[in-house]
Amino acid sequence: MRYFYLFIFLIFPYFLSAQVQLQFKSGDMPIANLGFQATACDQNKGYTTDPEGKAVVTLPANCSSLRLQFQDITYGDLDTVFTITSPTQSILIPLTERQLTIDEVRVAGYASNIKEDARGREYQINTEKFPLNTPIAKALQRLPDFIRVND
């Protein structure tokens, strides 16, 4: 009987902590491999979403708020605080892609037969002659020896 009470005493703190399942989506598509920082009661930890856009954050005992932060070139900046109301909670975080104009496109290609001996070439495309919102594929067609695949 002593061991039973000892066992209950050891696992009791796990019942006090909360688990929050976060899911990041852009429209209907999950956002995989998104890195973010979660802060719960002054404890910081970095997370990365799985292929389904999900991550599970475990909050310390008696913690009722969760702060999420990230900076991403595609989705912008996020800095928000959630109030956690139950020990297991799911939160869906919808994100939208930022629309940016392209200032410059650089393509670096490498070919090698031996890993220690790589050759590279860098191209620069002047975008002054392109109209706004020119597709990247159209800009890349101006590179010498560029072959377009899967039209």
Side-chain angles (χ1 to χ4, degrees):
M1 195 60 165
R2 278 189 309 193
Y3 294 112
F4 177 73
Y5 289 123
L6 179 62
F7 176 73
I8 296 298
F9 179 72
L10 289 176
I11 66 167
F12 183 71
Y14 293 108
F15 294 118
L16 294 178
S17 63
Q19 282 195 336
V20 178
Q21 181 182 36
L22 304 171
Q23 183 169 23
F24 294 87
K25 283 190 169 187
S26 176
D28 291 335
M29 298 296 298
I31 302 171
N33 301 318
L34 178 68
F36 63 93
Q37 181 175 344
T39 305
C41 295
D42 298 326
Q43 293 182 4
N44 296 327
K45 187 174 179 186
Y47 293 89
T48 303
T49 58
D50 64 9
E52 296 174 353
K54 296 179 181 178
V56 176
V57 177
T58 302
L59 276 65
N62 299 323
C63 188
S64 62
S65 66
L66 175 65
R67 180 178 183 188
L68 298 179
Q69 296 174 294
F70 72 78
Q71 293 178 335
D72 187 79
I73 192 167
T74 305
Y75 302 105
D77 300 342
L78 176 75
D79 188 356
T80 188
V81 177
F82 294 99
T83 301
I84 307 305
T85 57
S86 68
T88 57
Q89 189 168 341
S90 295
I91 299 173
L92 175 64
I93 303 168
L95 300 176
T96 56
E97 293 183 13
R98 296 184 338 177
Q99 299 294 322
L100 301 174
T101 58
I102 299 173
D103 293 333
E104 179 179 351
V105 175
R106 288 188 179 197
V107 177
Y110 296 94
S112 75
N113 293 332
I114 303 171
K115 290 182 181 179
E116 294 86 36
D117 184 25
R119 298 183 319 267
R121 182 175 293 160
E122 185 176 287
Y123 296 101
Q124 290 186 359
I125 299 174
N126 185 353
T127 60
E128 291 175 3
K129 296 180 182 178
F130 288 109
L132 290 176
N133 300 323
T134 299
I136 293 174
K138 186 174 181 180
L140 291 177
Q141 286 179 343
R142 294 202 177 175
L143 296 176
D145 301 325
F146 180 77
I147 299 171
R148 199 166 166 188
V149 179
N150 294 333
D151 271 337

